Amino acid sequence: LRVFLFFILLIQPSIIQISCGRKNLSQPVIISVIFTTDTHGNIYPCGCRVPLGGISERSFEIKRLRMNDQETLVLDNGSSLWGINHVVNRSNGKVIVEAMNEMKYAAMNLRATDLSYYTVSQIKELQDLAEFEFISSNLTIKNSELNLKEYIILNVKGVNIGVTGVSEFNKNSEEKYDYLKPEYALEKVIPKMKKESDFIIVLSGLSFQESANLPRMVPDIDLVISSPATVPVVKPRLINDSIIATSFREGMAIGHIELGFNIERKFTDHKYRHIQIQEGMPKDKSVQNILKKYQTREE
């Protein structure tokens, strides 16, 4: 009996430590996630028949949504720092990062396409300017001080949300990084994330079909945010209990997904909205001032 009591006393501190780190919630919660993907540095509405997009319009909409939930999580799936717009090019992407700071993005999946448009030192400048994390689990930058986090853990309303990213391969920038196949990278990183996370999000620069295959190859992925599909996909799909979601490219729309969790921090359900960013929407004055600042520098 004494031996048994001694054993209980030995393990009791460990039990207390674990339970304190993973407390139940006082009530169920809903966590809102807003995401963008493949915006390609577009800061103005497109010249389409129905003009869509605009970074100051997007910012106004994100801030409007955040008024209902200050802890809204905003993520970007990459291929976002470059574009054909001269304001973006001449600022080397800084106008994009400053606008994303204003929108309070939490993380961006750095993609090989972003690396193909800038030098590594220019990307490092953008990383230093950013108030959000640059992440990637399958790109390692060669001979550089630019260190990408494999993943981050964000505590939102008492729930630990793990976020990681994978990039497609791009031959135009292959000399800048070592590339690991996305499924191999996720096989390494997801088990580590699982120990710290209640819910795991993968930002995927792969095609929609390739992104949908990731949960088939790697378990414990809860949500995949994919690059846009060739044929527009408005509603998420379920693959092996994983949610596969995407949005329109060029900043023409944002995705808004609400995730429900019970008091044990277990994911229970989701609700999704696809929100088009249309010309004529109100513009965020703070982001307009950022655009004007970089336009003035060109004159």
Side-chain angles (χ1 to χ4, degrees), residues 10-70:
L10 278 177
I11 66 170
Q12 190 175 18
S14 299
I15 295 172
I16 293 173
Q17 185 177 6
I18 292 170
S19 64
C20 287
R22 310 283 282 181
K23 288 181 179 178
N24 283 351
L25 306 175
S26 59
Q27 61 184 7
V29 298
I30 295 174
I31 294 176
S32 291
V33 178
I34 295 171
F35 66 86
T36 47
T37 181
D38 295 72
T39 60
H40 299 167
N42 276 275
I43 56 179
Y44 302 118
C46 68
C48 317
R49 184 174 60 85
V50 179
L52 298 173
I55 200 166
S56 56
E57 288 89 343
R58 184 206 316 171
S59 181
F60 186 93
E61 184 65 15
I62 288 175
K63 288 182 177 181
R64 185 189 69 80
L65 293 170
R66 186 177 273 117
M67 286 178 63
N68 297 324
D69 186 349
Q70 293 296 317

Side-chain angles (χ1 to χ4, degrees), residues 33 35 37 75 77 109 162 164-166 186 190 199-216 218-227 235-247 257 259 272:
V33 178
F35 66 86
T37 181
L75 304 171
N77 193 27
N109 179 26
T164 188
V166 292
L186 293 176
I190 294 294
F199 190 88
I200 293 177
I201 300 173
V202 175
L203 303 174
S204 171
L206 311 181
S207 70
F208 189 80
Q209 186 57 51
E210 291 171 323
S211 296
N213 283 332
L214 291 176
R216 294 187 175 104
V218 185
D220 298 322
I221 297 173
D222 298 299
L223 169 62
V224 179
I225 294 173
S226 168
S227 287
K235 295 182 179 180
R237 297 180 183 173
L238 289 178
I239 305 290
N240 290 354
D241 295 327
S242 300
I243 306 164
I244 317 296
T246 188
S247 186
I257 187 164
L259 307 169
Y272 179 80

